[in-house]
Structures are given as structure tokens and as C-alpha cells.
Amino acid sequence: MLSRRRLMVLGPSLGLMATLPMAMLPRQAMAGSARIVSVGGALTELIYELGAESELVGVDSTSLFPQAATRLPNVGYARTLAAEGLLSLAPTLIVATEEAGPPTVLRQLETAKVPLHVLRADHRFDGIVDRTRRLGELLGRPTQATALIQRLQKDWAFSQQTVARVAAGHRAPRVLFVLSNAANQARIAGADTAADAMLTYAGAVNALQGVQGYKMLSPEAAIAAAPEVILATTQGLEASGGLDGLLRLPGLAQTPAGQRRRVVALETMEMLGFGPRLPQALQKLATALHAGAGRTA
């Protein structure tokens, strides 16, 4: 049975201690069964792949796949969590990536004695293997984790072959990743980002050189980058008003990619989440980026 101390949280504004009455707790929590909250869409996907979805009681706003995950209680955006919302689900385990926060909420969870495990969010294939293995340990499913890792490694090897095939015979295309959440608000990705890692894996060149992380899109930056392909997320493309709307963002229409209307878009978490769909995402991305690329003489 959960202890009273375990349910203590700090009031959001007054700093007072508040508790959740035991009568408010779900019956399963009082019975001691596993209750998992996943903060990170890629982690949620891995939990489903490991067959532990029945133990999920909450997810964050990036948990959009599979569709069933969207029907679970939502604890909000990973970087702006609220302890009250998390604790109201009476979790026996919270798994999150390093992007989870703010730190004050993580400290409140620690005070409440809720098991919180933060997994590294590095943008490498090996990182997926490490997260899968660790989740298998945390969820008591090491055999399933081993089988999933073997499948992922096989799929990854195939995706690498695909990249080598579609990239052969021409120079690597220059690609600019544009992250757009609303009209006239966009950022572009430099080094040390998930987008940059995906471009490297796909045999492309990040057109935004000399920049770490993200920077705001400007006409000067777009024109200087001179991308041959613009890469976006399907959600960002929709938020911008489609292809025409995206190309109205500062400077994009003046780039080689904009003039040829060369835009590629993939679903956000599939492309940037570095979850179990990564091998398939890489195949899609590489095939699309290299399509129509100029062949060497």
C-alpha cells in the first residue's frame, strides 16, 4: 500500500504540503500492481514494443504513437511537468528522458518517494539499444528487451544498406531542417540536435554550419545556408499552412530548395524521437532526400 508520505507534493504557488486522500487513489494502485507513467514519446513506444502497455497509466504530450497511447491520461509537456498531475495517477514508476523537467518538479517527485528513472536521450542508434535494455530491466522484461534489440539491430543493418544504395553516385545533398510550430515562428537546426544526427545517418549534409543547437530562422540564415532540400515535420508543415505556407517563412523561398519546392516532411517523433521506429524512419528519410539528386559524371 502506498504511504501517505509518498503522495506528498508541494503546492504550486504557496509552497504548502498537500496530500492526495487514499480514497482518491485508483483501486489498482492500492492493490500494489505496476502503474507506469512514461515521459517521452520514444519511451512510450518502447514500452508498447516490450508488451507492457497494460501497465501504463499516463503519458506525456509527445506520446502520439501508437494511437492507443493518445487515449491514456496526459501529464503534459515533458519540460513543463506538474507534480500534482503526475502524483494523481499514483505511479509506482516514472520513466523519463533527460529532457524532463522542470528540476523543481523532479525534486518534488524525489521527496514523494516515487521511483523516477531518467534515461539518456542521446541521438544515436546505440542509445536506443541502451534504453531498451534498461527499460527491460525496470519493467521486469529482460527477455522481451533482448528480442527487441535483436530485431532493431537487424532492421538497422538493413536501413544502413538502404542509405548506401540511395546515396551512391552523387554528392550528399545540403539539407536545412526547419522546426515550425506556428506561422512566422520557426527555428533551424544546427549541430548536436536530433535533426543533425538524422541527416548524418541519411548521408546528407546539414546546410546550417557553425551553429550548435537551434537558432531562429531569418532570411539571412536561410539564404546563407543555401539548402537543396528543406526538411520539416508533418506537424510543422501543417502548422505553417502547407507547402506554400512553409515557403513563406523568412528566406526559404529564395533558397535553391525553395525555388524548386523541394520539401521533405516526416512525422515528428518518427524522425526525431530516436525510438523503435528509427530504422524505418531512416529508410524513408534517406530515400526522400536523395531522390532526384544530381548524379556525378
Side-chain angles (χ1 to χ4, degrees), residues 29 37-38 40 61 79 83 114 131 142 165 196-197 216 246-247 279 288:
V37 173
S38 174
S61 61
R79 296 182 186 273
V114 176
R131 288 189 289 277
R165 175 174 54 81
D196 181 69
M216 294 302 297
L246 183 75
L247 293 179

Side-chain angles (χ1 to χ4, degrees), residues 33 117 193:
S33 59
H117 291 270
T193 62

Side-chain angles (χ1 to χ4, degrees), residues 238-258:
E238 181 179 354
S240 299
L243 178 58
D244 290 335
L246 183 75
L247 293 179
R248 282 195 291 269
L249 292 174
L252 293 185
Q254 285 71 52
T255 66

Side-chain angles (χ1 to χ4, degrees), residues 138-247:
L138 292 172
L139 305 181
R141 295 172 179 263
T143 301
Q144 293 90 330
T146 297
L148 178 56
I149 289 171
Q150 291 173 347
R151 193 189 85 202
L152 288 170
Q153 290 172 331
K154 180 180 179 180
D155 291 346
W156 185 246
F158 183 78
S159 70
Q160 298 290 84
Q161 295 172 4
T162 299
V163 172
R165 175 174 54 81
V166 300
H170 61 269
R171 62 178 177 78
R174 292 174 55 84
V175 184
L176 181 66
F177 176 72
V178 180
L179 183 63
S180 175
N181 296 318
N184 300 319
Q185 294 183 11
R187 293 181 296 162
I188 47 181
D192 296 329
T193 62
D196 181 69
M198 284 298 289
L199 290 176
T200 300
Y201 277 138
V205 173
N206 190 340
L208 186 62
Q209 296 292 309
V211 173
Q212 297 287 319
Y214 283 88
K215 67 175 290 184
M216 294 302 297
L217 173 65
S218 67
E220 295 79 13
I223 293 171
E228 297 164 309
V229 183
I230 294 169
L231 178 61
T233 66
T234 53
Q235 291 92 329
L237 189 62
E238 181 179 354
S240 299
L243 178 58
D244 290 335
L246 183 75
L247 293 179

